[in-house]
């Protein structure tokens, strides 16, 4: 039993049983979507079976067009790879983070290449709402980023929580650039 009263998008109370159902149902549906969208793309990218077994995935960012979001499963969780538009990058960089519930600059949410440069176009994060684990919808919400329909959390174009019950920004997974355009997650 939770001590916290949870409400839906209309402010109506959601009891624990219903809340858990929403979480499970939404998570399952989103995971299925991630599988159907993600694995074929991973396969196209020539993913080695031994790397999959080790829990790492390699992603060629050159295959993700501007404005496109790639979704895939990594260690059982969805990972979003978003090729952000110039407008999305500008929004992410020009945010007054003192007003954010979980203050982080956009650069703090990006990983540098081996030469030390940062490519702000590509945002890589675990696509799970930090409230109760639903899968947020992209290009939605009040901040043009992601919106979690379960209880109304709004994330910006950097995946930072801006409004709603989620306490933290969406998580940045452990990843690195292994070439100029290829990253390894995990
Ligand atoms: S799971 Fe509650 S707002 Fe996302």
């Amino acid at each position: 039993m939770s001590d916290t009263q949870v409400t839906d998008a209309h402010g109506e109370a959601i009891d624990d049983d219903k809340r858990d159902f929403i979480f499970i149902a939404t998570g399952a549906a989103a995971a299925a979507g991630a599988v159907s969208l993600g694995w074929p793309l991973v396969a196209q990218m020539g993913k080695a079976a031994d790397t999959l077994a080790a829990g790492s995935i390699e992603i060629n960012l050159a295959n993700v067009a501007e404005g496109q979001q790639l979704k895939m499963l990594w260690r059982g969780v969805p990972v979003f790879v978003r090729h952000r538009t110039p407008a999305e990058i500008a929004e992410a960089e020009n945010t007054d983070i003192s007003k954010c519930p979980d203050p982080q600059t956009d650069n703090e949410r990006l990983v540098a290449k081996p030469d030390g440069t940062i490519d702000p176009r590509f945002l890589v994060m675990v696509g799970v709402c930090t409230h109760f684990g639903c899968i947020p919808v992209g290009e939605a919400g009040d901040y043009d980023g992601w919106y979690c329909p379960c209880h109304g959390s709004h994330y910006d174009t950097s995946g930072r929580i801006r409004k709603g019950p989620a306490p933290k920004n969406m998580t940045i997974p452990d990843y690195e650039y292994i070439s100029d355009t290829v990253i390894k997650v995990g």
Side-chain angles (χ1 to χ4, degrees):
M1 215 40 188
S2 168
D3 294 326
T4 305
Q5 178 64 66
V6 178
T7 58
D8 66 15
H10 307 292
E12 294 176 359
I14 297 174
D15 61 37
D16 281 355
D17 290 344
K18 183 179 176 188
R19 185 188 70 205
D20 290 346
F21 172 77
I22 292 169
F23 163 62
I24 293 166
T26 307
V35 169
S36 63
L37 288 171
W39 290 124
L41 282 167
V42 171
Q44 285 173 19
M45 292 171 190
K47 187 72 238 81
D50 57 345
T51 306
L52 281 176
S56 298
I57 50 175
E58 293 177 12
I59 303 164
N60 188 344
L61 300 177
N63 293 335
V64 188
E66 182 178 301
Q68 184 183 25
Q69 176 176 276
L70 181 67
K71 300 178 190 175
M72 59 183 59
L73 277 183
W74 169 67
R75 297 180 183 170
V77 298
V79 168
F80 294 166
V81 179
R82 171 90 187 156
H83 184 158
R84 301 185 295 184
T85 65
E88 290 171 342
I89 295 168
E91 277 188 67
E93 292 179 342
N94 296 329
T95 294
D96 177 1
I97 63 169
S98 69
K99 294 184 167 58
C100 294
D102 183 14
Q104 266 187 319
T105 65
D106 190 53
N107 268 6
E108 288 172 337
R109 296 179 53 73
L110 303 171
V111 168
K113 297 180 180 184
D115 66 3
T117 60
I118 287 179
D119 187 341
R121 295 175 301 170
F122 295 102
L123 177 66
V124 181
M125 61 186 181
V126 174
V128 175
C129 180
T130 60
H131 185 220
F132 282 125
C134 290
I135 312 299
V137 177
E139 296 179 77
D142 291 357
Y143 296 88
D144 305 321
W146 288 262
Y147 173 69
C148 181
C150 287
H151 315 100
S153 285
H154 299 251
Y155 296 86
D156 66 16
T157 58
S158 190
R160 294 173 295 218
I161 183 63
R162 301 295 296 277
K163 189 167 85 175
K168 304 289 287 182
N169 303 332
M170 277 193 271
T171 302
I172 305 302
D174 181 21
Y175 77 95
E176 63 178 339
Y177 278 84
I178 57 175
S179 77
D180 199 47
T181 60
V182 178
I183 60 169
K184 184 173 81 168
V185 181

